[in-house]
Amino acid sequence: MSLLSIENIHTYYGNIHALKGISLTIEKGEIVTLIGGNGAGKTTTLRTISGLLKPREGAVRLNGEDLSKYKAHEIVYKGISMVPEGRGVFARLTVTENLEMGAYSLKDPKGISSNMERVFTLFPRLKERRTQVAGTLSGGEQQMLATGRALMANPSILLMDEPSMGLAPVLVELIFDTIQQINKEGTTVLLVEQNALMALGIASRGYVLQTGQIVLSDTAVNLKSNPTVQKAYLGVE
C-alpha cells in the first residue's frame, strides 16, 4: 500500500476544471516531484491533498484512508503538512512563535521542545533569530521558517510548494540540501518546484503536469534525459 495515493482527482475553481482526473502515488521514504508550467495544476494538486480544496470526484488516500471527510487542519493531525508557495509566515510573530503555531496538533510539551531543537539543528540561522519578528527576516530565512513550521507537526509527508522561488542561488542550494536531509531523517516529500533540474536532481521519481493532467511519469533520471522534458523544462534546445 502506498503512503499517499491520489485517485482520479477532479478539482474545480468555480466552473474552472483545474485538475482533470489525475492519479499518482508516493511511497514511504521517497522524494517525488511535480513539474509543469504555470497554470498546470501543481499548486492545486498540493492544495487538494492538504484539504484546502475539495475535489468533486476522486479520492486522496493516506495509508489507504480516504481523507475527504477531514478538514484541512484535521489532515495535519493525520500526518500531512504543507510549506506553501510564498512562505506565508506570521509576519508579526517571532520565529519561536511561528514554530509553536506549527505544533498546534501536538499535546506533548517535551515533543514540541524536541521538534523545535530539530528545526534549530536543521536551520541554525533560525536559532540565532528565534526572538526576531518573522516579517523582518530575509526571504531565505522566511523559507527556512516556513519549512521548520511545517516540520513541527511531525508529518509523515511534507508538501513543498516552490521552495526556491525568489531565492539567491546559494540559498537554493541550502534549501535543496535541507530537503534531502529531512528526507534522510524519515520524512517523505512531495515537491513542486520551478527549478525542474534541481528538483529532478534530488527526487527519485517525477510527474509532469500539463493543463490539469499528468502527461508523463517516470524515474527522475529518465525524466532528466527525456527530450520533451529537456526542451520544455530544462532549457535544453
Side-chain angles (χ1 to χ4, degrees), residues 2-237:
S2 299
L3 175 62
L4 182 74
S5 62
I6 300 173
E7 303 167 2
N8 193 36
I9 286 293
H10 292 261
T11 300
Y12 290 74
Y13 291 100
N15 292 324
I16 298 172
H17 195 176
L19 296 182
K20 305 169 184 175
I22 73 166
S23 297
L24 60 86
T25 60
I26 301 171
E27 306 301 327
K28 185 176 180 179
E30 284 191 305
I31 300 176
V32 174
T33 186
L34 296 179
I35 60 176
N38 291 335
K42 304 184 302 296
T43 294
T44 302
T45 300
L46 297 191
R47 289 172 64 86
T48 301
I49 294 169
S50 64
L52 294 170
L53 293 171
K54 293 296 184 184
R56 292 190 191 176
E57 296 179 44
V60 177
R61 300 185 191 276
L62 182 68
N63 289 316
E65 182 181 14
D66 189 348
L67 299 180
S68 62
K69 60 187 174 185
Y70 297 111
K71 297 178 180 178
H73 71 278
E74 294 171 325
I75 289 175
V76 176
Y77 284 83
K78 290 291 180 181
I80 298 177
S81 290
M82 183 160 77
V83 183
E85 181 182 357
R87 294 139 202 163
V89 299
F90 299 105
R92 296 185 180 183
L93 300 183
T94 66
V95 166
T96 298
E97 288 168 338
N98 267 270
L99 294 175
E100 289 171 343
M101 291 291 285
Y104 74 87
S105 61
L106 305 181
K107 306 302 180 188
D108 175 20
K110 288 184 179 179
I112 294 172
S113 178
S114 175
N115 287 357
M116 194 166 296
E117 281 305 312
R118 177 195 180 197
V119 171
F120 286 152
T121 299
L122 280 168
F123 301 112
R125 203 174 304 184
L126 293 183
K127 187 170 187 178
E128 296 170 3
R129 289 158 170 71
R130 58 188 179 275
T131 61
Q132 190 169 328
V133 174
T136 65
L137 298 175
S138 69
E141 291 163 348
Q142 289 189 13
Q143 185 61 53
M144 295 174 197
L145 181 55
T147 304
R149 183 183 59 192
L151 290 173
M152 287 295 293
N154 268 344
S156 56
I157 182 165
L158 184 66
L159 312 179
M160 303 194 74
D161 196 357
E162 302 285 10
S164 79
M165 183 178 288
L167 300 185
V170 64
L171 289 175
V172 172
E173 293 274 358
L174 175 62
I175 290 296
F176 275 84
D177 286 346
T178 305
I179 293 170
Q180 290 179 287
Q181 182 61 36
I182 291 167
N183 180 249
K184 287 176 183 175
E185 293 177 0
T187 304
T188 304
V189 179
L190 177 57
L191 173 64
V192 163
E193 175 52 52
Q194 60 179 347
N195 190 331
L197 185 61
M198 290 286 286
L200 291 171
I202 67 169
S204 54
R205 293 189 298 114
Y207 293 86
V208 179
L209 278 172
Q210 286 182 6
T211 59
Q213 296 177 302
I214 291 174
V215 296
L216 190 60
S217 65
D218 209 332
T219 65
V221 171
N222 287 345
L223 288 175
K224 283 173 70 174
S225 62
N226 182 293
T228 301
V229 173
Q230 287 182 340
K231 185 174 181 179
Y233 306 111
L234 304 183
V236 178
E237 294 298 330

